[in-house]
Amino acid sequence: MRRRMLSVVVPLVAPLPFALTAGCANFTGLHDDGRARNVKAPYALWADRSPSPRVREADPGDQRAVPGVERVRSGDMKDVDPAAVVRADHVADGERPPAANAVRSPAYHDLTDDGRPDLISAVDLDGRTSELRVYSVRNEVVTRVLALRAVLAGVELAAGHLSVREPTKDPRYVSVTDYVWDGGRMGLWDLTLDDYRTPQNPRPTTAPSPSAPPSPASGTSPPAPGDRL
């Protein structure tokens, strides 16, 4: 009986040294890579200093009636002279009326979600910077609902969103700022990065991952590529 047991055990034990030797050549388990790099929390410079709150005039979504423009009984911005609105608004800001060749052709789109088109205007201040403004009729009064100064690499409309594209330090990409009507005002909805577009490459097939924090939760879906202004 003992001999029979040995004859069974010995063949099982004998290959073990070879199996262990072969396994060591391809060992993929835990091993020591040396001392891990120390991880340190960010060190804030001038932590006791913070900027003052943004003044009301600097809020792009601040609403203001445009003085010097007659009331619009129809409530339709298309019934108002767009050039007169732009001139009156810039004069109210203490600026000189823009030259006719500096004002881009007016565009109309319902951004305030009231079923009526709003006026979207852009004035080129120099060879690089422009003033983008949106006007709506609120209670028969022509009202500016958005005003921002930007380097306009592109302006797009989609699903009620106004997307402003501006160059970044990397010539391959632009920053995209989306503004949307939240029921009472035009507010910042999202910040993303996108490929730089040219007439030869108007619709890139790939886009980098957004670098900005996720947009606030809302019932509005992200804007899809739309009409360009």
Side-chain angles (χ1 to χ4, degrees):
M1 178 68 68
R2 186 176 300 172
R3 190 174 299 170
R4 186 176 301 169
M5 290 178 66
L6 288 175
S7 64
V8 174
V9 173
V10 169
L12 293 176
V13 174
L16 288 178
F18 175 78
L20 291 174
T21 304
C24 290
N26 243 346
F27 182 71
T28 58
L30 298 175
H31 58 282
D32 188 0
D33 277 340
R35 184 176 179 179
R37 185 177 62 178
N38 292 332
V39 179
K40 296 182 179 180
Y43 180 75
L45 300 179
W46 312 296
D48 59 328
R49 299 296 184 92
S50 60
S52 300
R54 182 172 57 183
V55 296
R56 185 174 179 82
E57 289 76 13
D59 184 354
D62 181 29
Q63 297 183 31
R64 193 186 69 182
V66 180
V69 179
E70 294 184 0
R71 298 180 73 90
V72 185
R73 304 297 180 184
S74 66
D76 192 336
M77 277 302 305
K78 287 188 175 182
D79 293 337
V80 187
D81 180 6
V85 172
V86 173
R87 285 196 304 267
D89 193 27
H90 280 261
V91 170
D93 281 347
E95 304 170 356
R96 297 179 59 183
N101 60 357
V103 182
R104 300 189 187 186
S105 58
Y108 294 92
H109 189 78
D110 181 15
L111 292 175
T112 55
D113 200 27
D114 61 358
R116 295 189 294 260
D118 302 305
L119 169 63
I120 305 169
S121 170
V123 175
D124 296 323
L125 305 178
D126 50 41
R128 181 172 176 81
T129 310
S130 302
E131 188 83 20
L132 180 68
R133 300 189 179 189
V134 178
Y135 303 94
S136 180
V137 178
R138 317 299 295 171
N139 298 320
E140 300 184 357
V141 176
V142 174
T143 305
R144 189 180 73 192
V145 297
L146 183 71
L148 58 97
R149 186 164 295 189
V151 179
L152 301 180
V155 181
E156 297 178 347
L157 300 168
H161 295 250
L162 182 68
S163 298
V164 180
R165 305 169 66 84
E166 296 186 76
T168 66
K169 291 183 178 180
D170 189 330
R172 297 173 299 171
Y173 305 123
V174 294
S175 66
V176 183
T177 308
D178 286 305
Y179 294 92
V180 67
W181 186 258
D182 64 6
R185 67 192 306 274
M186 289 288 292
L188 176 65
W189 185 84
D190 201 9
L191 293 170
T192 55
L193 282 179
D194 196 4
D195 289 305
Y196 181 76
R197 299 177 185 173
T198 65
Q200 293 76 26
N201 179 31
R203 288 290 181 267
T205 56
T206 59
S209 300
S211 63
S215 58
S218 68
T220 309
S221 59
D227 302 326
R228 302 186 68 190
L229 298 183

